[in-house]
Amino acid sequence: NTYSLLFPLLFDHLVIDSITYSVRSSFSMFPVVDDVKSLRAVDGKNTMLPIISLFYLVQVFTDYMAQERERGITIQSAAVTFDWKSYRINLIDTPGHVDFTLEVERALRVLDGAVAVFDASAGVEAQTLTVWRQAEKHHVPCVCFLNKMDKPAANLRFSVESIKQKLKVTPVVLQFPIGSGKNFSGVVDLLTNQKLLWKRGSLGDDGQVFESKPLDLLDETELLQEIKEARAALIEQVADLDDEFAELLLTDFSDNFDAVPSVKLQEAVRRVTLARKGVPVLCGSSLRNKGVQPLLDAIAAYLPAPSERHHDLVQWYKDDLCALAFKVVHDRQRGPLVFLRIYSGTLKPQTAVHNINRNSTERMSRLLVPFADQQVEIPSMTAGNIALTVGLKQTVTGDTIVSSKASAAAAARRAHSDRGAAQRRGEHASVVLSGVEVPDPVFFCTIEPPTMSKQADLENALNCLQREDPSLKVRVDPDSGQTILCGMGELHIEIIHDRIRREYGIETDLGPLQVAYRETILHKVSTTDTLDRTVGDKRHVVTVELAVTPVDILSAGGTCQLAFTEEMEAQLSTETKEAVENGVHSAYLQGPLLGYPLLGVSSLIQSVKMEPGTSPAMVSACLSRCMLKALRLAGGQVLEPMMSLEVTVGEEHLSTVLGDLSQRRGTVRDIQSRHDSKVLLANVPLAEMMGYSTILRTITSGNATFSLELDTYEAMTPQDQNTLLKRMSGLL
């Protein structure tokens, strides 16, 4: 039970932990857990025992940033590698706050299984729901852990029902708690009918010692009856979800379902989990390590090994290296450190690797096992693992890394051979791993150095931070020349500002936060435009006819569309088509009213006529000008970001919170009860939520919490739009 001390702080603060594992025999080169000397070297204190070193790894390493310790939240995902029984586990501690959703996204992109951690007294909360959707998008099998069972309001049935109703999944309860609140002492494993009891005491209270014994008749009658009913419900539920188990019950155990072997039941639960038909649910209290050891066993028993995840692309590389760069961290001494998930082959230091996305070859100098901000150097790393590399200076998040250009070409040939039918249709099989989707920023503000001499240092800091965090966008305003910082929320920009001060030693000034509005059009308009320019001794003449049409934002998927008439589709060359597309897409970046990007606009190219010798750049310029003309004629409409708000507040403060929301143009969707509190669900314009955390603490005496995430973009009312236009033009 030594290794259980890895989990107390992790499970006490996380919304979700993403996990991969593989058989330990493949990793004999790792000096991580079995070699005490290596652990002491990582810790830096020769007097530390292995058990203390492991606790140090979790407590200090995973939340290692100063901002994380000050705020008590996870901001950056951190990887830890450790052993549990006969398995090696790669764990990534991810943030739960919606401002850092990209950290969760890129972790889930590369991992094989996830443990979703819930507060047993609160059930599924808003930000948990957001992260769960991300896991579903990547088809990641999950295990649920109901944490904080020692809280007075903890309730197994309430939490399970919350998972069922809000996550729209089938929870498969595998454990039943013994006691509640401060009397929580252990769990009953419904598969084996074994009691797991954690004894109180100076050592046992840390969860290192627990006793496993079968249920007996001396136990409370009420407890025995509840466990009997829960196990019967479990067997019936698994039989409904797994045909093989149902057939076993009906053929061999039709007279007594309760006699089914626990091994057969466990195998069925594993199949259900891997098929994502159901989600195993376990419970415990991570602060005291109660229930953590069975959770580690469940990870090994129910979540997939790397070989069980189906990655079609990997089969084409066979035993050659194929890895995905999913995170970049800058180190002052070693430069950029790139996290790689290895899907096939072996990674070794001092070797050259090929980046398919950048079409470049780089030499990797060192290979490390990550322990958050500490690392252990190793001679090689095999498939299924997470590695940290030094020396890849051009690689960014989402790049595919292979052993050589020839290896990628060989994989492409195998892919085309395997997909002969697709090739005959003119399609090409991709040998590049899909990257990470980066969400659009919703807040922006100006950032300025204290003096002009610090401008170069600030630009370098922002470049490094952008490479680390692709959700951070930096641009220069073409009119004022100011640097604009764009982020996912107030907290995101605040953290970036603080990191620039602490890590790069630059005291920057931030301008007021502004909302990233969008624009659309109101009417359908057709127009033409002609560009006639002479550059040098060449005359360029282009005439364009096009139509712009407003479309529903939801049906368009939040993007703008471009189409050609059948005649144009056949007539235009590939080069001219690209020029047309470039011109239209550049016009989409700047709306007719305030210059914000456009949403919900569809363009139809009806005619493109040009004289011989006209350059593609002139075609793009003509399209952009014609688009701007059409957009102005179509009438502009400002779209504002609408946020989904969830406030948990005591009933005595509910009316005050409702009154405040009505002044913020909020629309209440629902008010739910959660024990002694009320949960308020509402939609509120982002522009009205500046500094809301401070206001909410003030009006509720600090007794309320809230979460906020982008829901959609909605058209502003004429009055609100006029007010915004006047304010942006300086008239208010």
Side-chain angles (χ1 to χ4, degrees), residues 2-6 32-40 43 45-57:
T2 300
Y3 313 121
S4 64
L5 282 179
L6 273 167
V32 180
V33 173
D34 297 327
D35 188 342
V36 178
K37 189 179 293 184
S38 296
L39 278 172
R40 288 174 177 164
D43 189 88
K45 299 179 181 180
N46 291 330
T47 58
M48 298 289 263
L49 295 173
I51 188 169
I52 305 297
S53 297
L54 284 168
F55 184 79
Y56 181 85
L57 285 173

PDB file of all heavy atoms in Angstrom, residues 2-6 32-40 43 45-57:
ATOM      1  N   THR A   2       2.159   1.118  -0.173  1.00  0.00           N
ATOM      2  CA  THR A   2       3.034   2.287  -0.152  1.00  0.00           C
ATOM      3  C   THR A   2       2.609   3.341  -1.157  1.00  0.00           C
ATOM      4  O   THR A   2       2.545   4.519  -0.855  1.00  0.00           O
ATOM      5  CB  THR A   2       4.478   1.855  -0.470  1.00  0.00           C
ATOM      6  OG1 THR A   2       4.893   0.914   0.517  1.00  0.00           O
ATOM      7  CG2 THR A   2       5.421   3.046  -0.439  1.00  0.00           C
ATOM      8  N   TYR A   3       2.238   2.889  -2.380  1.00  0.00           N
ATOM      9  CA  TYR A   3       2.052   3.828  -3.474  1.00  0.00           C
ATOM     10  C   TYR A   3       0.732   4.600  -3.379  1.00  0.00           C
ATOM     11  O   TYR A   3       0.495   5.479  -4.160  1.00  0.00           O
ATOM     12  CB  TYR A   3       2.121   3.080  -4.806  1.00  0.00           C
ATOM     13  CG  TYR A   3       3.293   2.148  -4.865  1.00  0.00           C
ATOM     14  CD1 TYR A   3       3.121   0.793  -5.072  1.00  0.00           C
ATOM     15  CD2 TYR A   3       4.577   2.637  -4.666  1.00  0.00           C
ATOM     16  CE1 TYR A   3       4.211  -0.058  -5.107  1.00  0.00           C
ATOM     17  CE2 TYR A   3       5.662   1.790  -4.695  1.00  0.00           C
ATOM     18  CZ  TYR A   3       5.479   0.440  -4.914  1.00  0.00           C
ATOM     19  OH  TYR A   3       6.542  -0.399  -4.937  1.00  0.00           O
ATOM     20  N   SER A   4      -0.117   4.259  -2.454  1.00  0.00           N
ATOM     21  CA  SER A   4      -1.407   4.939  -2.361  1.00  0.00           C
ATOM     22  C   SER A   4      -1.261   6.404  -2.003  1.00  0.00           C
ATOM     23  O   SER A   4      -2.148   7.190  -2.238  1.00  0.00           O
ATOM     24  CB  SER A   4      -2.294   4.250  -1.323  1.00  0.00           C
ATOM     25  OG  SER A   4      -1.713   4.369  -0.041  1.00  0.00           O
ATOM     26  N   LEU A   5      -0.123   6.789  -1.415  1.00  0.00           N
ATOM     27  CA  LEU A   5       0.044   8.181  -1.023  1.00  0.00           C
ATOM     28  C   LEU A   5       0.212   9.117  -2.212  1.00  0.00           C
ATOM     29  O   LEU A   5       0.308  10.303  -2.041  1.00  0.00           O
ATOM     30  CB  LEU A   5       1.260   8.326  -0.091  1.00  0.00           C
ATOM     31  CG  LEU A   5       0.982   7.895   1.347  1.00  0.00           C
ATOM     32  CD1 LEU A   5       2.235   8.042   2.183  1.00  0.00           C
ATOM     33  CD2 LEU A   5      -0.130   8.729   1.950  1.00  0.00           C
ATOM     34  N   LEU A   6       0.250   8.555  -3.408  1.00  0.00           N
ATOM     35  CA  LEU A   6       0.260   9.429  -4.577  1.00  0.00           C
ATOM     36  C   LEU A   6      -1.047  10.187  -4.746  1.00  0.00           C
ATOM     37  O   LEU A   6      -1.089  11.201  -5.390  1.00  0.00           O
ATOM     38  CB  LEU A   6       0.511   8.603  -5.849  1.00  0.00           C
ATOM     39  CG  LEU A   6       1.987   8.388  -6.180  1.00  0.00           C
ATOM     40  CD1 LEU A   6       2.119   7.322  -7.241  1.00  0.00           C
ATOM     41  CD2 LEU A   6       2.630   9.662  -6.646  1.00  0.00           C
ATOM     42  N   VAL A  32      11.991   4.536 -11.422  1.00  0.00           N
ATOM     43  CA  VAL A  32      11.045   5.472 -10.825  1.00  0.00           C
ATOM     44  C   VAL A  32      10.668   5.099  -9.400  1.00  0.00           C
ATOM     45  O   VAL A  32      10.919   5.837  -8.460  1.00  0.00           O
ATOM     46  CB  VAL A  32       9.777   5.581 -11.693  1.00  0.00           C
ATOM     47  CG1 VAL A  32       8.802   6.542 -11.067  1.00  0.00           C
ATOM     48  CG2 VAL A  32      10.157   6.055 -13.078  1.00  0.00           C
ATOM     49  N   VAL A  33      10.074   3.924  -9.201  1.00  0.00           N
ATOM     50  CA  VAL A  33       9.584   3.559  -7.880  1.00  0.00           C
ATOM     51  C   VAL A  33      10.476   2.546  -7.189  1.00  0.00           C
ATOM     52  O   VAL A  33      10.750   2.649  -6.014  1.00  0.00           O
ATOM     53  CB  VAL A  33       8.145   3.013  -7.975  1.00  0.00           C
ATOM     54  CG1 VAL A  33       7.680   2.466  -6.640  1.00  0.00           C
ATOM     55  CG2 VAL A  33       7.213   4.105  -8.425  1.00  0.00           C
ATOM     56  N   ASP A  34      10.966   1.556  -7.959  1.00  0.00           N
ATOM     57  CA  ASP A  34      11.716   0.481  -7.333  1.00  0.00           C
ATOM     58  C   ASP A  34      13.108   0.924  -6.895  1.00  0.00           C
ATOM     59  O   ASP A  34      13.715   0.314  -6.032  1.00  0.00           O
ATOM     60  CB  ASP A  34      11.846  -0.697  -8.309  1.00  0.00           C
ATOM     61  CG  ASP A  34      10.484  -1.269  -8.647  1.00  0.00           C
ATOM     62  OD1 ASP A  34       9.623  -1.228  -7.753  1.00  0.00           O
ATOM     63  OD2 ASP A  34      10.278  -1.731  -9.784  1.00  0.00           O
ATOM     64  N   ASP A  35      13.661   1.932  -7.529  1.00  0.00           N
ATOM     65  CA  ASP A  35      15.003   2.379  -7.211  1.00  0.00           C
ATOM     66  C   ASP A  35      14.929   3.534  -6.219  1.00  0.00           C
ATOM     67  O   ASP A  35      14.620   4.658  -6.560  1.00  0.00           O
ATOM     68  CB  ASP A  35      15.702   2.833  -8.506  1.00  0.00           C
ATOM     69  CG  ASP A  35      17.168   3.141  -8.288  1.00  0.00           C
ATOM     70  OD1 ASP A  35      17.559   3.329  -7.131  1.00  0.00           O
ATOM     71  OD2 ASP A  35      17.905   3.176  -9.290  1.00  0.00           O
ATOM     72  N   VAL A  36      15.223   3.267  -4.952  1.00  0.00           N
ATOM     73  CA  VAL A  36      15.115   4.284  -3.898  1.00  0.00           C
ATOM     74  C   VAL A  36      16.073   5.436  -4.160  1.00  0.00           C
ATOM     75  O   VAL A  36      15.767   6.596  -3.940  1.00  0.00           O
ATOM     76  CB  VAL A  36      15.397   3.646  -2.519  1.00  0.00           C
ATOM     77  CG1 VAL A  36      15.341   4.705  -1.427  1.00  0.00           C
ATOM     78  CG2 VAL A  36      14.403   2.547  -2.241  1.00  0.00           C
ATOM     79  N   LYS A  37      17.261   5.108  -4.685  1.00  0.00           N
ATOM     80  CA  LYS A  37      18.265   6.139  -4.929  1.00  0.00           C
ATOM     81  C   LYS A  37      17.748   7.178  -5.918  1.00  0.00           C
ATOM     82  O   LYS A  37      17.952   8.380  -5.750  1.00  0.00           O
ATOM     83  CB  LYS A  37      19.536   5.490  -5.458  1.00  0.00           C
ATOM     84  CG  LYS A  37      20.721   6.460  -5.539  1.00  0.00           C
ATOM     85  CD  LYS A  37      21.965   5.758  -6.056  1.00  0.00           C
ATOM     86  CE  LYS A  37      22.449   4.733  -5.060  1.00  0.00           C
ATOM     87  NZ  LYS A  37      23.719   4.099  -5.477  1.00  0.00           N
ATOM     88  N   SER A  38      17.068   6.722  -6.967  1.00  0.00           N
ATOM     89  CA  SER A  38      16.538   7.650  -7.968  1.00  0.00           C
ATOM     90  C   SER A  38      15.489   8.558  -7.365  1.00  0.00           C
ATOM     91  O   SER A  38      15.425   9.741  -7.655  1.00  0.00           O
ATOM     92  CB  SER A  38      15.936   6.872  -9.141  1.00  0.00           C
ATOM     93  OG  SER A  38      16.945   6.143  -9.799  1.00  0.00           O
ATOM     94  N   LEU A  39      14.642   7.973  -6.486  1.00  0.00           N
ATOM     95  CA  LEU A  39      13.613   8.791  -5.856  1.00  0.00           C
ATOM     96  C   LEU A  39      14.243   9.843  -4.961  1.00  0.00           C
ATOM     97  O   LEU A  39      13.814  10.979  -4.906  1.00  0.00           O
ATOM     98  CB  LEU A  39      12.682   7.894  -5.029  1.00  0.00           C
ATOM     99  CG  LEU A  39      11.595   7.199  -5.844  1.00  0.00           C
ATOM    100  CD1 LEU A  39      10.865   6.195  -4.983  1.00  0.00           C
ATOM    101  CD2 LEU A  39      10.633   8.196  -6.418  1.00  0.00           C
ATOM    102  N   ARG A  40      15.272   9.455  -4.250  1.00  0.00           N
ATOM    103  CA  ARG A  40      15.948  10.436  -3.394  1.00  0.00           C
ATOM    104  C   ARG A  40      16.601  11.527  -4.243  1.00  0.00           C
ATOM    105  O   ARG A  40      16.640  12.683  -3.861  1.00  0.00           O
ATOM    106  CB  ARG A  40      17.004   9.722  -2.544  1.00  0.00           C
ATOM    107  CG  ARG A  40      16.385   8.854  -1.453  1.00  0.00           C
ATOM    108  CD  ARG A  40      17.452   8.057  -0.744  1.00  0.00           C
ATOM    109  NE  ARG A  40      16.876   7.272   0.347  1.00  0.00           N
ATOM    110  CZ  ARG A  40      17.493   6.270   0.943  1.00  0.00           C
ATOM    111  NH1 ARG A  40      18.692   5.909   0.529  1.00  0.00           N
ATOM    112  NH2 ARG A  40      16.925   5.618   1.928  1.00  0.00           N
ATOM    113  N   ASP A  43      13.949  13.887  -5.182  1.00  0.00           N
ATOM    114  CA  ASP A  43      13.529  14.684  -4.044  1.00  0.00           C
ATOM    115  C   ASP A  43      14.629  15.647  -3.594  1.00  0.00           C
ATOM    116  O   ASP A  43      14.360  16.724  -3.098  1.00  0.00           O
ATOM    117  CB  ASP A  43      13.139  13.751  -2.887  1.00  0.00           C
ATOM    118  CG  ASP A  43      12.497  14.502  -1.754  1.00  0.00           C
ATOM    119  OD1 ASP A  43      11.278  14.652  -1.811  1.00  0.00           O
ATOM    120  OD2 ASP A  43      13.209  14.973  -0.857  1.00  0.00           O
ATOM    121  N   LYS A  45      16.699  15.072  -1.119  1.00  0.00           N
ATOM    122  CA  LYS A  45      16.971  14.926   0.306  1.00  0.00           C
ATOM    123  C   LYS A  45      17.317  13.460   0.570  1.00  0.00           C
ATOM    124  O   LYS A  45      16.460  12.601   0.524  1.00  0.00           O
ATOM    125  CB  LYS A  45      15.759  15.338   1.143  1.00  0.00           C
ATOM    126  CG  LYS A  45      15.364  16.797   0.928  1.00  0.00           C
ATOM    127  CD  LYS A  45      14.153  17.152   1.753  1.00  0.00           C
ATOM    128  CE  LYS A  45      13.752  18.597   1.514  1.00  0.00           C
ATOM    129  NZ  LYS A  45      12.561  18.981   2.300  1.00  0.00           N
ATOM    130  N   ASN A  46      18.591  13.176   0.864  1.00  0.00           N
ATOM    131  CA  ASN A  46      19.049  11.798   0.974  1.00  0.00           C
ATOM    132  C   ASN A  46      18.448  11.054   2.155  1.00  0.00           C
ATOM    133  O   ASN A  46      18.515   9.829   2.223  1.00  0.00           O
ATOM    134  CB  ASN A  46      20.575  11.760   1.076  1.00  0.00           C
ATOM    135  CG  ASN A  46      21.221  12.172  -0.228  1.00  0.00           C
ATOM    136  OD1 ASN A  46      20.645  11.955  -1.289  1.00  0.00           O
ATOM    137  ND2 ASN A  46      22.399  12.778  -0.160  1.00  0.00           N
ATOM    138  N   THR A  47      17.882  11.761   3.117  1.00  0.00           N
ATOM    139  CA  THR A  47      17.335  11.087   4.285  1.00  0.00           C
ATOM    140  C   THR A  47      15.903  10.627   4.079  1.00  0.00           C
ATOM    141  O   THR A  47      15.342   9.954   4.931  1.00  0.00           O
ATOM    142  CB  THR A  47      17.363  12.031   5.499  1.00  0.00           C
ATOM    143  OG1 THR A  47      16.609  13.205   5.163  1.00  0.00           O
ATOM    144  CG2 THR A  47      18.788  12.428   5.841  1.00  0.00           C
ATOM    145  N   MET A  48      15.282  10.989   2.959  1.00  0.00           N
ATOM    146  CA  MET A  48      13.879  10.653   2.728  1.00  0.00           C
ATOM    147  C   MET A  48      13.718   9.180   2.392  1.00  0.00           C
ATOM    148  O   MET A  48      14.503   8.621   1.641  1.00  0.00           O
ATOM    149  CB  MET A  48      13.298  11.495   1.588  1.00  0.00           C
ATOM    150  CG  MET A  48      13.299  12.976   1.858  1.00  0.00           C
ATOM    151  SD  MET A  48      12.105  13.422   3.097  1.00  0.00           S
ATOM    152  CE  MET A  48      10.772  13.910   2.043  1.00  0.00           C
ATOM    153  N   LEU A  49      12.685   8.547   2.927  1.00  0.00           N
ATOM    154  CA  LEU A  49      12.340   7.184   2.564  1.00  0.00           C
ATOM    155  C   LEU A  49      11.473   7.206   1.310  1.00  0.00           C
ATOM    156  O   LEU A  49      10.897   8.235   0.965  1.00  0.00           O
ATOM    157  CB  LEU A  49      11.590   6.520   3.718  1.00  0.00           C
ATOM    158  CG  LEU A  49      12.406   6.323   5.004  1.00  0.00           C
ATOM    159  CD1 LEU A  49      11.507   5.814   6.106  1.00  0.00           C
ATOM    160  CD2 LEU A  49      13.555   5.368   4.776  1.00  0.00           C
ATOM    161  N   PRO A  50      11.320   6.070   0.610  1.00  0.00           N
ATOM    162  CA  PRO A  50      10.513   6.052  -0.619  1.00  0.00           C
ATOM    163  C   PRO A  50       9.096   6.545  -0.417  1.00  0.00           C
ATOM    164  O   PRO A  50       8.573   7.288  -1.224  1.00  0.00           O
ATOM    165  CB  PRO A  50      10.541   4.576  -1.020  1.00  0.00           C
ATOM    166  CG  PRO A  50      11.757   4.028  -0.379  1.00  0.00           C
ATOM    167  CD  PRO A  50      11.965   4.803   0.879  1.00  0.00           C
ATOM    168  N   ILE A  51       8.463   6.161   0.684  1.00  0.00           N
ATOM    169  CA  ILE A  51       7.059   6.538   0.903  1.00  0.00           C
ATOM    170  C   ILE A  51       6.922   8.045   1.053  1.00  0.00           C
ATOM    171  O   ILE A  51       5.978   8.655   0.561  1.00  0.00           O
ATOM    172  CB  ILE A  51       6.495   5.797   2.132  1.00  0.00           C
ATOM    173  CG1 ILE A  51       4.992   6.043   2.214  1.00  0.00           C
ATOM    174  CG2 ILE A  51       7.153   6.236   3.405  1.00  0.00           C
ATOM    175  CD1 ILE A  51       4.318   5.147   3.229  1.00  0.00           C
ATOM    176  N   ILE A  52       7.887   8.686   1.712  1.00  0.00           N
ATOM    177  CA  ILE A  52       7.854  10.138   1.869  1.00  0.00           C
ATOM    178  C   ILE A  52       8.117  10.799   0.520  1.00  0.00           C
ATOM    179  O   ILE A  52       7.502  11.781   0.159  1.00  0.00           O
ATOM    180  CB  ILE A  52       8.910  10.593   2.901  1.00  0.00           C
ATOM    181  CG1 ILE A  52       8.704   9.853   4.222  1.00  0.00           C
ATOM    182  CG2 ILE A  52       8.837  12.089   3.109  1.00  0.00           C
ATOM    183  CD1 ILE A  52       7.390  10.132   4.889  1.00  0.00           C
ATOM    184  N   SER A  53       9.043  10.231  -0.252  1.00  0.00           N
ATOM    185  CA  SER A  53       9.352  10.802  -1.558  1.00  0.00           C
ATOM    186  C   SER A  53       8.138  10.789  -2.468  1.00  0.00           C
ATOM    187  O   SER A  53       7.875  11.740  -3.180  1.00  0.00           O
ATOM    188  CB  SER A  53      10.493  10.017  -2.209  1.00  0.00           C
ATOM    189  OG  SER A  53      11.658  10.134  -1.437  1.00  0.00           O
ATOM    190  N   LEU A  54       7.372   9.707  -2.436  1.00  0.00           N
ATOM    191  CA  LEU A  54       6.189   9.622  -3.279  1.00  0.00           C
ATOM    192  C   LEU A  54       5.157  10.661  -2.887  1.00  0.00           C
ATOM    193  O   LEU A  54       4.524  11.290  -3.724  1.00  0.00           O
ATOM    194  CB  LEU A  54       5.590   8.213  -3.183  1.00  0.00           C
ATOM    195  CG  LEU A  54       6.361   7.154  -3.968  1.00  0.00           C
ATOM    196  CD1 LEU A  54       5.872   5.772  -3.565  1.00  0.00           C
ATOM    197  CD2 LEU A  54       6.216   7.352  -5.449  1.00  0.00           C
ATOM    198  N   PHE A  55       4.971  10.863  -1.589  1.00  0.00           N
ATOM    199  CA  PHE A  55       4.030  11.885  -1.146  1.00  0.00           C
ATOM    200  C   PHE A  55       4.507  13.259  -1.576  1.00  0.00           C
ATOM    201  O   PHE A  55       3.723  14.102  -2.012  1.00  0.00           O
ATOM    202  CB  PHE A  55       3.892  11.832   0.375  1.00  0.00           C
ATOM    203  CG  PHE A  55       2.867  12.801   0.895  1.00  0.00           C
ATOM    204  CD1 PHE A  55       1.524  12.506   0.831  1.00  0.00           C
ATOM    205  CD2 PHE A  55       3.251  14.020   1.418  1.00  0.00           C
ATOM    206  CE1 PHE A  55       0.576  13.401   1.284  1.00  0.00           C
ATOM    207  CE2 PHE A  55       2.309  14.920   1.876  1.00  0.00           C
ATOM    208  CZ  PHE A  55       0.973  14.609   1.812  1.00  0.00           C
ATOM    209  N   TYR A  56       5.810  13.478  -1.520  1.00  0.00           N
ATOM    210  CA  TYR A  56       6.380  14.752  -1.953  1.00  0.00           C
ATOM    211  C   TYR A  56       6.117  14.991  -3.431  1.00  0.00           C
ATOM    212  O   TYR A  56       5.794  16.099  -3.853  1.00  0.00           O
ATOM    213  CB  TYR A  56       7.880  14.728  -1.676  1.00  0.00           C
ATOM    214  CG  TYR A  56       8.616  15.989  -2.041  1.00  0.00           C
ATOM    215  CD1 TYR A  56       8.676  17.065  -1.151  1.00  0.00           C
ATOM    216  CD2 TYR A  56       9.253  16.112  -3.264  1.00  0.00           C
ATOM    217  CE1 TYR A  56       9.362  18.217  -1.474  1.00  0.00           C
ATOM    218  CE2 TYR A  56       9.939  17.263  -3.595  1.00  0.00           C
ATOM    219  CZ  TYR A  56       9.994  18.313  -2.698  1.00  0.00           C
ATOM    220  OH  TYR A  56      10.664  19.455  -3.031  1.00  0.00           O
ATOM    221  N   LEU A  57       6.217  13.923  -4.228  1.00  0.00           N
ATOM    222  CA  LEU A  57       5.969  14.048  -5.663  1.00  0.00           C
ATOM    223  C   LEU A  57       4.587  14.603  -5.925  1.00  0.00           C
ATOM    224  O   LEU A  57       4.394  15.477  -6.760  1.00  0.00           O
ATOM    225  CB  LEU A  57       6.114  12.689  -6.347  1.00  0.00           C
ATOM    226  CG  LEU A  57       7.540  12.172  -6.552  1.00  0.00           C
ATOM    227  CD1 LEU A  57       7.495  10.750  -7.081  1.00  0.00           C
ATOM    228  CD2 LEU A  57       8.317  13.058  -7.473  1.00  0.00           C
TER     229      LEU A  57
END
